[in-house]
Structure formats: C-alpha cells, structure tokens
Amino acid sequence: MRRTLILLAALAALGAAATPAKAAGFTGVVVAKDSGRHAVVLASANGTVRTTRSARYRSLKVGQRVGVKAALLRDGTYRASSVRVSGRQTKARFRAVVVRSQRAQKRLLVSAGGSTFALANRSKARVIASRASGEPKPGDQIVVTVGLSGSSAEATSVSTVGHLGKIEIEGIVTKLADGSVELIVAHAGFVTVALPAGFVLPTGLKVFDELSLVVAVGADGKLTALSAEADDEHGDDQGDDEDDDDDNDHHDD
C-alpha cells in the first residue's frame, strides 16, 4: 500500500510538471512592429517592453493600446493567444539600450524587450548618470518618451541613466564575411558586428536569416559578438483565438 501511494504521488508530481504554465496577461501600447517575426513591440505603463508575436500583427498600429494573453517563449519573446485593442495613446515612456545613434538620419537604434528597432530622434538628450557628453552612445541605458501620433514612434525626450558593457541585438543577416557579420535592423540601418577568432555562428546560417546576438560594446562603439542564436520561431498565423477590437481612440497624455 505504501509503495502504491508513493507511486501515485510521483505520477501526480510528473503530471503537474508536464502541465503547461498559464498564459501571462499584460497590457501595453504598440511602439514598433517587426514584420520579420510577425511581432509587435509593446511598452507597458511601468516601462517594461515585451516583444509579442501575433497572427494579428499586420492589423495592429503604432499607438494602439492592447491587452494580451501570451506564453513566454525560450528566446524571451511572447506568443499571443489573444489580443484585444482597447484604445489609443499619444505617447509612451519606456527603458531601452542604445545600439546606434544615427545623427544624419535623426534616429536612434535601440534594443528593448528582445527587439531592436528605430526611433525617430528630435529630442534634446539629457544625462542623469555622470558622463561628459549628452549624446547617446552604444550601450547607454536610456529612459525615452516617444510620441505616437504618426506611423512610427518618435523620441521626444531621452535621458541617459547608465551604461552596459554588453547588449542584445537582432536583425536580418545581410552579409557574412571572415571576421564579421552584418545585420539590417528594423528596416532602418545596417549594423556590423565583429566575430572574434573561433566564434561559431549557428549551423546553416545564411543571408536573409534572422539572428540574435549578444555583443560587447567597445569604448569606441565597436560591437563584438559574444553569443549568437538563430530565430526558430517563425511567426506563423496561428494562436490568436480572440481578436475583439474596442478601439475607442482614447488619448493618454
């Protein structure tokens, strides 16, 4: 009898471990879109950014406020099972890390929530952490306020609050060369990453594949790969069971 009870307890424990975790629920405003991954980048009210893959990504627009039920994927992004539009916002505030400051194009490439995306930048940069220059540099941790009245987010305020020695970027491979790889990020700019001796890229990687890299940021802004992972989530048009819209055009100032 004792052995039977122990066996039943063990089976129950295995069953509990095999049960998938409940989907996470969160709300956020769309601040960017990633067509390559069929995803939207959502900024929550507390500044948290999440990349959410959704079958409805084409119909979602920058500035829409949405409620999401989603499962966390192993790459840190989410797969939505339902998306509900609840209104619109004219601005958002979130944390990010600078990948590139493209002054000629007046834009910033930033990394947040597992995505790398572009922000039009006509802001006056402000430094909170001690630094000689207010110009955002690769690796800078920033708090950014963006306007959402157009088809893409525009930075209206950028405050530098710290600096990271390594960051994560993702994009589509455009060039593979000895000692480097080039990515196009968010259809906005090219980023070249140096590959140290002995560094191994994912097997079978080729031009036009998606690639995520953790990179070291040099004092001169040079990016050097530390680790790499190919994107194995292909963003198919499955998984969104609920698509109720209630876009009441609310404006949160």
Side-chain angles (χ1 to χ4, degrees):
M1 182 68 175
R2 177 180 171 81
R3 288 181 181 178
T4 302
L5 290 174
I6 292 173
L7 179 58
L8 289 173
L11 289 173
L14 286 172
T19 302
K22 278 188 174 182
F26 53 86
T27 60
V29 59
V30 179
V31 296
K33 297 180 69 173
D34 185 342
S35 60
R37 293 194 288 179
H38 291 196
V40 290
V41 182
L42 302 178
S44 294
N46 65 359
T48 300
V49 178
R50 299 178 179 91
T51 296
T52 305
R53 302 169 189 264
S54 168
R56 298 188 57 213
Y57 85 99
R58 290 186 185 89
S59 65
L60 296 174
K61 298 177 177 59
V62 168
Q64 284 184 321
R65 185 172 58 251
V66 298
V68 173
K69 290 182 181 177
L72 179 63
L73 302 175
R74 68 177 186 178
D75 65 356
T77 66
Y78 289 80
R79 165 72 67 188
S81 58
S82 71
V83 175
R84 183 170 190 153
V85 178
S86 61
R88 298 188 67 86
Q89 291 184 203
T90 57
K91 66 181 181 180
R93 190 169 184 262
F94 57 89
R95 298 181 295 273
V97 179
V98 175
V99 177
R100 280 278 185 269
S101 178
Q102 300 177 313
R103 282 181 290 178
Q105 294 87 0
K106 294 185 178 179
R107 66 189 176 200
L108 287 174
L109 290 182
V110 300
S111 175
S115 283
T116 308
F117 53 97
L119 300 173
N121 181 31
R122 294 172 178 81
S123 67
K124 296 285 187 180
R126 185 165 68 97
V127 178
I128 295 178
S130 176
R131 239 252 313 275
S133 169
E135 178 70 23
K137 292 180 172 56
D140 278 356
Q141 296 172 293
I142 61 173
V143 175
V144 57
T145 300
V146 296
L148 302 170
S149 56
S151 59
S152 60
E154 178 177 326
T156 58
S157 173
V158 177
S159 298
T160 301
V161 296
H163 185 82
L164 293 179
K166 63 181 181 180
I167 60 176
E168 182 178 351
I169 62 173
E170 58 84 25
I172 297 172
V173 177
T174 54
K175 185 185 297 184
L176 291 166
D178 289 337
S180 68
V181 59
E182 181 185 78
L183 307 177
I184 186 169
V185 175
H187 306 290
F190 294 92
V191 176
T192 299
V193 178
L195 303 177
F199 187 88
V200 179
L201 289 168
T203 303
L205 186 74
K206 57 187 181 299
V207 172
F208 301 128
D209 284 351
E210 293 181 40
L211 180 67
S212 295
L213 292 167
V214 175
V215 301
V217 183
D220 57 357
K222 181 180 178 181
L223 305 179
T224 302
L226 298 175
S227 65
E229 182 177 350
D231 186 4
D232 58 0
E233 288 287 339
H234 297 294
D236 55 23
D237 290 341
Q238 297 178 3
D240 282 359
D241 300 323
E242 181 181 328
D243 58 359
D244 294 338
D245 284 355
D246 185 19
D247 192 345
N248 298 318
D249 291 332
H250 298 306
H251 295 273
D252 292 348
D253 297 323

